[in-house]
Amino acid sequence: ETGMSSGFKIDNFSQNKYKVTPTSSKKGTKIEVLNLFYNLPARLKFLKSNISELNQIKKVISDKALSYLDVSFRFINDEKIVFETNGKSDFNKSFFDIYKNETPFKIEHYEEVINKDLKIDIYYSEMDVFFPTRKYQMLYVNRRPVTVSFFYNALDNGMRNYISVGRYPLIYFFIDINPSLIDINIHPAKKEIKFYNQNEIYLAIQNGISKAVSKTIKRDIIDDEVINNHVFEN
């Protein structure tokens, strides 16, 4: 077709399991899931409600969208667009494109190269924007959402001088690390990892969020002083 490039279709349905055929396609990857348990009806009884399953699928796709900001994602369910990101490396816009029900607020950015094997990127709200749960506090390592036992403790220690206990600002903490310094084989789904340099990572999280928040607070103080000391003349 005009405007379409050559691509491939991989079909895993019925008799066409893993069949690969050339096809006209737009740039990118399209994944369609239909009749997922057509040949495994016993698995259906383990499914939760439609909305619960949809939210879990949305979480998986939103994690990818927020860790690959340079890629555009479109999530469609029952022929309706659930969300769509533009792939223009804008975390703020992508976040609110996904979580449309949240009242918009400013999301700050802090980055630091700690050494040749370790870099951090933090997207966070100011301390007067917070939530009653940690639903928007996430850790990504090499762009994968993961669980680390000390993550929340390191965050809380880094912010303890800036926010009251029980208030949880948005924090998406990205760690880019040499893969040889992590062990990803301690969880079947690779959701939990182990750092060989755990103390260094703990300090990177604690000090990173502390530096980020203090930088924002100092900036706001300076801005207020400039406004308050400004002389207006007719």
Side-chain angles (χ1 to χ4, degrees), residues 47-86:
L47 289 181
K48 299 177 182 178
S49 67
N50 286 346
I51 188 65
S52 178
E53 295 294 339
L54 177 63
N55 285 335
Q56 290 190 54
I57 295 169
K58 179 181 177 181
K59 181 66 169 62
V60 172
I61 300 174
S62 63
D63 281 342
K64 294 296 182 185
L66 293 175
S67 56
Y68 290 88
L69 295 172
D70 55 337
V71 178
S72 175
F73 286 78
R74 178 184 293 172
F75 177 27
I76 299 173
N77 179 59
D78 290 337
E79 300 183 355
K80 295 181 180 179
I81 295 178
V82 179
F83 70 76
E84 181 176 9
T85 63
N86 62 19

Side-chain angles (χ1 to χ4, degrees), residues 18-65:
Y18 308 112
K19 182 179 180 182
V20 180
T21 55
T23 185
S24 296
S25 175
K26 294 181 180 180
K27 184 178 180 180
T29 302
K30 182 178 182 180
I31 301 172
E32 290 187 354
V33 181
L34 304 169
N35 300 323
L36 184 59
F37 297 107
Y38 75 96
N39 61 344
L40 291 170
R43 293 284 184 91
L44 283 172
K45 65 181 181 181
F46 293 104
L47 289 181
K48 299 177 182 178
S49 67
N50 286 346
I51 188 65
S52 178
E53 295 294 339
L54 177 63
N55 285 335
Q56 290 190 54
I57 295 169
K58 179 181 177 181
K59 181 66 169 62
V60 172
I61 300 174
S62 63
D63 281 342
K64 294 296 182 185

